[in-house]
Structures are given as structure tokens and as C-alpha cells.
């Protein structure tokens, strides 16, 4: 049954958000590019120019947090979505919705952060839009970025390409971004600092593609976390996935906060991590390529693709049990990105 | 002096918004594509593929109004910005910010309207994003669309190309959209219906470009109206502009409401009109091409470009006087689009 009102769950990146997309948006805008449900759309222009195109809106609160701010996040988020298509991100748009009365000093600080992030990723802000709404009609600042990247001729990366035997690499620790926002919002402080992992991943993707031509899937596990993203890939590829719990990388402090607050790190957002599905014979080479990148030093193989239990993600626990990892149900944390 | 807080004026499309762009955004993101300040960015990909890229956010209230709704507006707005670069719009993104508790039935109605508008314009929705924010953090629904179009090889349209002698064509009546929103919001009713002019202009642009290779500038006068847009063109092209007041097309009912409420129609937003700057010898052919389009039947020549008074727009009034038409100062009407 379709609910009558939009709830926070519809924006969670989890199961209910997925249903909104599958039941309302896809049938309406019926076309194969959108149905691909990848991080970005892959377009062919002028016969042979393949372009990745992606959009993302950022409503994170607070606007500034350890390890980043909404500006940096807005650049990296779209850069990464474009990069996950195997593209070289080149151009981004910047659209601001600002609440009347927002401090000019904060806006300036955020725009400077956007500029730094764009420079770091090597993308140019080429077009924009500014809307100001009356006090109370928005909460501070929302940012939309859209991005365009060029896909090299020989690169074919999609959501549907996972194959039995593929190794699954996670480029670093889980849950850093989500738990940072959570602790900030709750006013919690800990002895060991927790920081957002917000980072551009396009340079890492270039290294991955240089290391192997057998990369089948690239995705960044943002909203909904590693657990939800792996479920989407399992579904798109009609493949089964087995994860080893003991292989999942996490910072101790983040693991501690997750336990304390009752969050499953598999469902907590990351903003500077990717999942790569790679043919087994190239897995070590790709792992080495990822680890050679500034943002991939803690990369690990976390599992593999199996012909068994298609569409399902199964976790082999530390104590030898097996449990199904479903998509995120409900919203753990609104306004995480 | 830079104000310390963002005001509604910063989003008006007028003088203060212009200053925010010129003094903060352009110096920071310093690059020639952005500095062009056209409705969209013109990008070259893969050596010879020229692409127009544009973004626009819609915060209009009310969401439904005579002649359209926020969904149709969001598609047409971006389609038109891409078309004003001389491009054929092909693909759009759709990013939603929805307030928790928003009625699913209204969302569905708006998405259906988006789909109809996309079909009418011949563009495909290829990628999207949905964010839901808690009750009170946004007012109902905001929509961002970004668009990509392909520019034919021989087409060169910019903001800087206005030349002395060019005729200026306006594709139809002024101020319909802005005054429709205004009367809706104020709860005013009139005997004669006023309707938004929201419309896709890409098919009209194709007819214009087929009729002449001497089209120098295309722009759609949305926020800030015809007056502000002409000032922007005068500045970018370092040209003078002379308008004939008696040639400016308006519906009687709209003119009446403007007078009643004290609005200058030159500064009121249009959402389905364009301004074309065309070499004099081709002006009649282009006018005929525009009039052959569904949305251009009331097109008129409204003035011309002069070598005198560069950067200035001068109106020759009905009674034979002359007055300077400056950019919009202050915000006439927030959340108009």
C-alpha cells in the first residue's frame, strides 16, 4: 500500500526510498538509462562521446563538522558519483537554496571550501543558480551539485556487472561520516576524535582502471551504507554476495560509538569510500592500486560474489554464523548528507 | 560594503544578486566558462562535442497555479536555459527536496506533470536524487533540474554577441508568469483569467536557427524580467539598447494587474519567452520563424542595439520621452520560480 504522506524513510536511501523509486519514478520516467539505477547516468552524445551525468542534493546538518562541511561534501559527492561510472569528472554545477538571514561569512566559508574541493578533484564549477527563500522556508542552506564526466573509450562500468567469483574490495573503514554527524548532532564528545571521511575518489578510480580491465562494478556506499549498496548491486546483477564480518575495516572509535548508540555500521553513510567488484585474478592488483591512493590506505577485500542465493547479501559472522544483510529499513539518520 | 546577512534581494535575479555573483562567486571560481554568465555553460568534450550544461532550482509558491505547476516549470526552465545556448536539450536530472509530511498525491501529480513536460520538450529524465527533510526544515517541495544539450557544429550563441544595428525580438507578452503567481498568492481574482506562460522554447530556438545564421544572442527573461536581462546583455556585449515602449507586447489583463499592484512589467518574470538579438537583415525572417511556433504567435520587435550609450538600456516612452531602464533593484517577489 502506498502511504499517503512522505516520511523521512522516503529519503533514507534504504528500502522505502528504493520502493518510491521502483514504484513511482521508474515506471513514470520509463527509460533504460534511469532504470540502470547507477550512481550516475551514462549518455552517448554525438555518436561516440560517452558522458557520465549525476545530480545530488545536500541538506546535511550541522553545516560544519569534523573532517569537512556541506560545501566539500557537495563537491565530493557528485565527483564520486560521476567517477563510479568509470568517468573522469570534469565539470560541476552549483545550485544554492539559502534561507533569508543566513550569515554571509558562513556562505563565504562554504564557497571557499567548495572551491578547494573542486580544485582537489580537478573539476571546474561552470554554471550555477542562487535562490533565497524567506526565513523559515528552508533550514539554513541546501546545495545541489550536478556533474559531468567523460568515460574513456574502453571503460564499461555498471551496476549490473557483478559476476560469481568477483572479489569485493572496500577502499577503507566504514561509517566514519555518519557517526561523525551523529555525534556532532547529539553533542557527544569522545577521547578519540571521529572525522568524516569526505574525499574525492576520482583519482583512486583512475588508478583502479589503470590496474585492471576486469573491474565490473564501482559504487560509493553513501546513504544506506555498505549494506544497502551491496543489496542494490546484488539485485541489479542478480548475484549473491558473501561478506566476512571479520574482514570489514572500521576505526575502533567509530565501532565504539556505533555500539554505544545502537547503530549497525553496515547501514551508516560513508562519503569517501568505494566498493569495487573485480575479477579474482586482478583483485590483488586493484587492492594495491587502491592502497596507493591517499584515501585508500586501509582498503580490504571484504567478500565475494557467489552463484548461490542470487539477490541476497549474506554475512559470515566472527563466530561462524551466517545472517542475511537486508537493505536499510527505516531512516537511521535524516540529513546525513 | 558587503552585507552581513543574506537577504531576499540576493536571490532576486536583480542588481544585488548580480553583485553577489560578480563580487563573490566569479572571483572565487575564476574561469572563463562561468564568467560568461550565460543561461548555461558551453563545454567542449572529446575535442569536438560541444555541450550546453545548465542548472536551476525551483522554490515557487504556490506549487500549483493557473497555467502550470512547479514540476512543469522545473522542466521548462532548464530546457530553456540549455536552448538559449543554441543547444538541443537532450537529458535532464531531477533532484527533489521534500518536506516530511508532504502529500504523496501532490508529489505524484507533480511528477506526472514533469513527465508530460519532458515529453513535450523531447528530453529524457536520466538521473535523480530524493532528499526528505524533517517537518519545518523546508516548505513543501523544492526541485532542482540540470540539463544537457548538444550544440550543432555551426552554431555560436552567447551573451556577448550583441552588435549595433541588431534588432531585438521578444517572443511574446511580458509578465504573465510573475503576475499569475502574485495574484494567486494575494488571493486576488479577476474577470479575465491570467495564466503563467511556462513553456518549452527549444522547438522555437530550432526554428530560429534554421531561419538565420545571424542570431547573436538568445536569452529567456525569467527572474528580473526583460529589463534586467537586457541590462545583462548590454553589459556583457558592451552595447547600448533602445526599446520602444509602445512596441512591448502585454496582455491587457496583466497590464491592468501590474498597474493596480504597482509592478513594472519590465521587471516581472516570464517563463516561456525569449529575447533574440538578430542582424537587421534577418530580423523579419526570424520574427516569422518565431511566430510560426505555438509559443511565439505574439512575438514583436521591441527595439535595437545602438553604438551609443554602451552598457545602458534606454526606453523611448509612448509620449516621446526617454528613460534609463536599470537592473531590478531589490526583490519584487520572492519564490516566483
Amino acid at each position: 500500500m502506498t502511504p499517503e504522506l512522505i516520511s523521512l524513510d522516503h529519503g533514507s536511501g534504504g528500502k522505502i526510498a528504493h520502493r518510491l523509486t521502483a514504484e513511482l519514478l521508474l515506471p513514470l520516467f520509463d527509460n533504460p538509462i534511469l532504470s540502470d539505477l547507477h550512481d550516475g547516468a551514462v549518455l552517448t552524445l554525438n555518436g561516440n562521446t560517452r558522458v557520465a551525468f549525476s545530480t545530488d542534493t545536500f541538506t546535511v546538518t550541522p553545516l560544519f563538522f569534523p573532517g569537512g562541511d556541506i560545501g566539500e561534501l557537495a563537491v565530493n559527492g557528485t565527483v564520486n558519483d560521476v567517477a563510479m561510472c568509470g568517468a573522469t569528472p570534469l565539470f560541476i554545477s552549483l545550485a544554492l537554496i539559502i534561507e533569508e538571514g543566513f550569515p554571509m561569512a558562513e556562505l563565504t566559508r562554504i564557497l571557499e571550501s567548495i572551491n578547494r574541493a573542486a580544485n582537489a578533484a580537478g573539476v571546474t564549477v561552470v554554471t550555477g543558480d542562487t535562490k533565497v527563500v524567506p526565513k523559515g522556508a528552508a533550514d539554513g542552506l541546501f546545495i545541489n551539485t550536478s556533474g559531468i564526466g567523460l568515460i574513456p573509450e574502453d571503460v564499461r562500468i555498471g551496476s549490473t556487472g557483478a559476476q560469481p567469483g568477483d572479489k569485493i574490495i572496500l577502499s577503507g573503514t566504514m561509517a566514519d561520516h555518519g557517526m561523525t554527524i551523529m555525534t556532532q548532532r547529539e553533542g557527544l564528545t569522545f577521547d578519540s576524535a571521529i572525522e568524516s571521511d569526505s574525499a574525492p575518489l576520482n583519482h583512486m578510480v583512475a588508478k583502479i582502471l589503470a590496474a585492471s580491465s576486469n573491474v565490473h562494478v564501482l559504487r560509493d556506499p553513501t546513504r544506506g551504507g555498505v549494506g544497502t549498496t551491496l543489496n542494490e548491486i546484488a539485485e541489479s546483477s542478480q548475484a549473491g554476495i558473501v561478506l566476512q564480518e571479520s574482514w570489514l575495516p572500521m576505526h575502533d572509535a567509530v565501532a565504539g560509538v556505533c555500539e554505544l548508540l545502537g547503530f549497525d555500521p553496515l547501514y551508516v553513510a560513508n562519503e569517501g569510500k568505494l566498493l569495487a567488484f573485480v575479477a579474482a585474478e586482478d583483485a590483488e592488483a586493484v587492492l594495491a592500486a587502491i592502497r596507493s591512493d591517499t584515501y585508500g590506505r586501509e582498503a580490504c577485500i571484504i567478500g565475494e560474489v557467489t552463484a548461490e542465493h542470487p539477490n541476497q547479501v549474506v554475512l559470515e559472522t566472527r563466530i561462524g554464523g551466517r545472517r542475511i544483510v537486508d537493505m536499510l529499513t527505516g531512516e537511521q539518520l535524516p540529513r546525513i548528507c
Side-chain angles (χ1 to χ4, degrees), chain A residues 29-293:
Chain A
F29 301 121
D30 181 33
N31 72 73
I33 305 172
L34 187 65
S35 309
D36 223 31
L37 286 183
H38 196 41
D39 289 334
V42 174
L43 314 172
T44 303
L45 295 171
N46 232 2
N48 60 0
T49 300
R50 284 193 311 139
V51 161
F53 178 35
S54 186
T55 192
D56 215 342
T57 305
F58 297 82
T59 63
V60 67
T61 181
L63 297 173
F64 301 91
F65 45 80
D69 58 48
I70 188 173
E72 180 190 331
L73 205 61
V75 173
N76 290 339
T78 285
V79 161
N80 293 348
D81 284 346
V82 169
M84 294 309 130
C85 301
T88 306
L90 296 172
F91 304 108
I92 63 170
S93 63
L94 175 64
L96 308 172
I97 302 177
I98 314 174
E99 184 186 13
E100 181 187 12
F102 191 77
M104 185 66 85
E106 282 192 27
L107 180 65
T108 304
R109 204 174 136 202
I110 289 165
L111 290 170
E112 285 167 353
S113 168
I114 288 172
N115 190 46
R116 271 194 307 276
N119 288 337
V123 297
T124 310
V125 179
V126 290
T127 191
D129 180 56
T130 305
K131 291 290 187 309
V132 180
V133 297
K135 225 171 172 46
D139 182 18
L141 175 69
F142 301 147
I143 301 181
N144 177 280
T145 51
S146 299
I148 292 181
L150 198 60
I151 306 176
E153 212 172 315
D154 51 337
V155 170
R156 295 278 181 283
I157 305 283
S159 278
T160 59
Q163 291 169 24
D166 280 358
K167 298 293 179 188
I168 304 169
I169 302 172
L170 178 60
S171 67
T173 53
M174 293 195 304
D176 299 283
H177 178 73
M179 294 324 295
T180 300
I181 299 299
M182 187 66 204
T183 53
Q184 287 295 306
R185 224 183 285 167
E186 300 294 313
L188 302 173
T189 52
F190 297 92
D191 281 348
S192 41
I194 297 181
E195 278 203 348
S196 168
D197 57 340
S198 175
L201 298 174
N202 52 325
H203 305 306
M204 185 192 293
V205 168
K207 288 173 191 160
I208 291 172
L209 296 177
S212 165
S213 53
N214 290 305
V215 179
H216 299 144
V217 176
L218 292 173
R219 285 286 302 275
D220 60 336
T222 54
R223 270 187 300 174
V226 169
T228 303
T229 303
L230 288 177
N231 266 281
E232 287 170 5
I233 297 169
E235 198 176 287
S236 301
S237 298
Q238 299 181 5
I241 289 175
V242 184
L243 297 181
Q244 300 300 327
E245 188 177 36
S246 60
W247 298 355
L248 292 168
M250 278 188 81
H251 288 142
D252 288 344
V254 174
V257 179
C258 279
E259 206 175 316
L260 188 72
L261 300 176
F263 281 85
D264 183 340
L266 276 169
Y267 297 119
V268 178
N270 311 279
E271 290 291 342
K273 299 292 156 39
L274 62 75
L275 289 159
F277 285 58
V278 188
E281 65 270 26
D282 285 4
E284 285 303 326
V286 170
L287 185 61
I290 294 176
R291 285 186 174 161
S292 76
D293 188 82

